[in-house]
Amino acid sequence: MKFPLYFSRKIAFSKDNKNNLSRVIVVIGRLSVAIGIIVSLITISTGYGSKKAIKERLADFSGNINVKSTRSNSSYNTSVLDNDGLDIKKIAEIPEVAGVQKYATVTGIMRTEKDFAGIIFKGIGTDFDSLRFKKFLVQGISPKPADKGYFNGVTISQKIAADLHLKLHDSIVTVFSKEDQQPIYRKFEVVGIYKTDIKLIDDQTVLGDINHVRKIQNMSDTDVGGLDIFIKDYSFFETFMAKLKKADREGNSIPHVMGLIFEKYDSSSEAMPAIEKFVGYKNYLENALERYPQIKDWISIFDINIALIIVIMLIVVIINIIMVLLILIIERTNSIGLLKTLGATNRQIRATFINYTLIIMIPGLAVGNAIGLSLLFIQKYFGVIKLNPENYYVSTVPVDLDPLPIISISFGILIISGLALIIPSYLISKISPVKAIKYN
C-alpha cells in the first residue's frame, strides 16, 4: 500500500481525533456533504421526473410522434393526409414503434341549456389503444368506434364535465360550424370521463368516433387527419445499450461517449429518421412537445434550474471541504514537520491530507444518499407532496430514480472535491520542518 493512502487511513481512524478540534470540523464537513447530496438527489430526481412525467402523459394521450399534412394550418381542423408515399404498415413495422393509430379533429361547441364549452373533437378509429388510455379514465370507457356506421358515445375530460355539469350517460348537444354552411348538430352520450392533469388537453379535448369527423369534414371513409405514433418504452439496460450504439456511430472519444451515456436518451428522436422515410413528401412529423410549445418552454427551464442548484451545492461543499483541509493542516503542523524530517516529500504529505479529507467525506456521502433516496422512494410510491396540475401539469411531485445520475452525483462530488483540494494543499510546502516541530 502506498504511503499517502496508508498514513491518511491511519490518521482518519485514529482514536486521537475524538477529543480535539478536528472532531467538530469533521462533523461540519460531513454535514455539508450530506446536505449537498440530499439537495442534489432531490433536485435531479424530481426535475427529470417532472420532465419525464409530462412527456409521458403527452405521449400516452396522443402519441410520441404525430404525422400531419403540410396543408394543416394553425386551426384545430385537421387536413387530410396525402397518401402519396405514406405507408402506415411500414411505419408500424419499425422496431422502435409500439403502435400507430389514425385520427382526425374538428372544432365545435358543446352546450347545455345553461352552459357551453369550446372543444376539439378528436375522432379515433378501431385501432385506438384503449389499454394505453385506460390510465387516464376516471369513469366509464373510451369510445368504441366501428369500421362502418357511427358510435355516438364520447369521452370527455373531468374539467369539461364539471363546467357543463355532466355525468356518465348524460346526453350533450355539440355544434360544428363550417364556412358558408349551416351549423351541424350532433347529439352524443357521455360514455367516459378522463383526466390527464394537462390543462391544455383537459380544457378542450373530447374523444369520439372518427366517422363523425369524416362526415362533418366531407372526408372519404378511408381519409385520416393524422397518425399518433407510440414509441416503445426501453428498460434501463436497453437504454444503456442504445446509448453505446449511438456513441459508436457518432464518435469514440471518451468525453463524447461519457456525455452520451449520461444524457437522457430520447427514443422518439432516434426513431424519427426511420419513420420519416414512410410518411410521404406532403406530410411531416411532429413530436409530442412541439404540439404544445407552452409546455416545451416551461419544462426547458428545468434544465437551467437543475444545473444552477447543483452548482450552488457543489460550491458550498467545496468551500466546507477546503475549510476542513486547512484546519486539519494547521492542527497537525507538528505531524507535518515530523514527516518532513523523516524524509516525506511535500507531494506525499499533500496526497496524505487530500486522501484524509476525502475519507472524511465518505460517511457524509453515505448518509446523504441514504436520506435522499429514502425521501425519494417515499415520494415515488406514496405521493406525499401534492401539486396543482393547472400550474405544474402533474398532481404529485414525480420522481425519476435513474441510477446513472444518482451514482454520478456522489462520484462527481468526490472527484471535483479532490481536484479542488490540490491548490489549498500547497500550504503544506510552506511549512518549515524545524518551526513545525517547535509549533505547539
Side-chain angles (χ1 to χ4, degrees):
M1 183 181 293
K2 291 184 177 181
F3 167 73
L5 181 59
Y6 170 78
F7 197 70
S8 62
R9 289 179 64 183
K10 292 291 287 184
I11 299 173
F13 300 110
S14 172
K15 294 181 180 179
D16 294 338
N17 292 328
K18 292 186 177 180
N19 296 309
N20 51 29
L21 177 63
S22 63
R23 181 179 180 182
V24 177
I25 300 306
V26 166
V27 170
I28 294 173
R30 287 173 176 170
L31 186 62
S32 69
V33 170
I35 292 173
I37 288 289
I38 293 168
V39 173
S40 299
L41 284 176
I42 291 174
T43 300
I44 287 181
S45 297
T46 56
Y48 284 140
S50 297
K51 290 178 65 175
K52 183 178 179 181
I54 294 169
K55 287 180 179 180
E56 284 181 351
R57 284 179 178 274
L58 290 173
D60 285 339
F61 187 84
S62 54
N64 302 84
I65 300 170
N66 261 179
V67 179
K68 292 184 175 181
S69 170
T70 54
R71 293 173 294 175
S72 299
N73 52 35
S74 58
S75 76
Y76 291 103
N77 296 335
T78 53
S79 299
V80 177
L81 289 182
D82 191 281
N83 289 320
D84 187 18
L86 178 63
D87 194 331
I88 299 175
K89 186 177 179 181
K90 288 286 187 182
I91 294 174
E93 290 173 354
I94 294 172
E96 292 86 356
V97 174
V100 180
Q101 60 188 35
K102 307 178 188 72
Y103 75 91
T105 59
V106 64
T107 55
I109 297 174
M110 278 188 164
R111 70 181 193 187
T112 61
E113 292 182 0
K114 297 181 179 179
D115 302 291
F116 67 91
I119 64 160
I120 300 169
F121 188 95
K122 182 175 181 178
I124 58 174
T126 54
D127 54 6
F128 179 74
D129 191 345
S130 57
L131 186 62
R132 186 185 295 271
F133 184 76
K134 191 175 181 180
K135 69 179 71 173
F136 299 122
L137 280 174
V138 178
Q139 291 178 282
I141 60 172
S142 56
K144 304 292 182 184
D147 288 327
K148 295 182 179 180
Y150 300 94
F151 180 78
N152 291 321
V154 292
T155 300
I156 64 176
S157 70
Q158 194 174 60
K159 174 70 164 52
I160 294 174
D163 290 345
L164 299 181
H165 307 288
L166 296 172
K167 59 184 184 297
L168 279 183
H169 308 303
D170 282 353
S171 296
I172 181 70
V173 174
T174 306
V175 184
F176 302 97
S177 60
K178 296 183 66 177
E179 292 183 8
D180 304 324
Q181 292 187 22
Q182 292 292 325
I184 299 171
Y185 293 83
R186 291 288 186 272
K187 188 175 183 180
F188 298 112
E189 177 190 355
V190 178
V191 296
I193 297 174
Y194 74 86
K195 181 184 179 184
T196 67
D197 285 332
I198 297 176
K199 182 177 173 61
L200 296 176
I201 293 175
D202 291 348
D203 279 358
Q204 52 192 4
T205 305
V206 172
L207 299 183
D209 190 342
I210 193 173
N211 288 330
H212 284 294
V213 181
R214 286 169 174 161
K215 180 70 174 178
I216 294 166
Q217 296 281 70
N218 296 323
M219 298 162 64
S220 73
D221 292 341
T222 57
D223 285 342
V224 295
L227 300 176
D228 289 334
I229 301 174
F230 298 95
I231 304 301
K232 291 178 181 177
D233 293 326
Y234 288 106
S235 66
F236 171 75
F237 177 75
E238 290 171 327
T239 301
F240 185 76
M241 293 306 296
K243 289 177 180 179
L244 289 181
K245 289 179 182 178
K246 183 179 179 182
D248 185 58
R249 290 196 308 268
E250 296 184 2
N252 296 317
S253 67
I254 293 176
H256 181 71
V257 172
M258 293 305 296
L260 287 173
I261 288 174
F262 284 103
E263 75 175 2
K264 288 294 179 181
Y265 182 74
D266 188 354
S267 54
S268 298
S269 298
E270 292 296 303
M272 286 183 81
I275 296 171
E276 204 164 17
K277 297 176 183 178
F278 305 110
V279 300
Y281 296 106
K282 295 183 179 179
N283 306 316
Y284 70 98
L285 299 180
E286 183 179 65
N287 67 36
L289 284 179
E290 287 174 349
R291 294 195 296 273
Y292 304 98
Q294 305 98 313
I295 297 177
K296 183 179 180 180
D297 292 340
W298 188 76
I299 66 173
S300 65
I301 300 172
F302 279 47
D303 292 328
I304 299 172
N305 292 343
I306 290 171
L308 186 61
I309 293 172
I310 296 298
V311 168
I312 292 172
M313 286 297 102
L314 192 58
I315 292 171
V316 171
V317 170
I318 289 173
I319 290 173
N320 279 278
I321 290 302
I322 289 175
M323 179 191 70
V324 170
L325 174 65
L326 294 176
I327 293 177
L328 291 176
I329 290 173
I330 294 170
E331 187 190 38
R332 291 189 174 271
T333 303
N334 287 340
S335 299
I336 294 170
L338 183 60
L339 288 171
K340 286 188 175 185
T341 303
L342 293 173
T345 64
N346 285 324
R347 183 173 182 179
Q348 287 177 320
I349 300 172
R350 286 201 309 271
T352 298
F353 276 85
I354 289 173
N355 289 337
Y356 179 20
T357 309
L358 294 178
I359 290 172
I360 288 172
M361 290 177 61
I362 291 175
L365 288 172
V367 171
N369 276 288
I371 295 175
L373 290 174
S374 297
L375 293 173
L376 291 172
F377 273 107
I378 291 171
Q379 178 59 32
K380 183 175 179 66
Y381 294 106
F382 297 100
V384 177
I385 302 175
K386 307 294 183 182
L387 295 174
N388 182 353
E390 291 193 3
N391 297 327
Y392 297 98
Y393 305 109
V394 285
S395 55
T396 61
V397 175
V399 173
D400 180 25
L401 295 173
D402 188 339
L404 285 178
I406 291 172
I407 294 170
S408 65
I409 288 172
S410 296
F411 280 100
I413 286 179
L414 264 179
I415 293 169
I416 294 172
S417 296
L419 295 173
L421 292 173
I422 293 174
I423 295 176
S425 71
Y426 273 91
L427 176 65
I428 291 170
S429 63
K430 302 293 183 182
I431 297 174
S432 168
V434 176
K435 292 181 180 179
I437 293 172
K438 292 180 180 179
Y439 179 79
N440 190 352

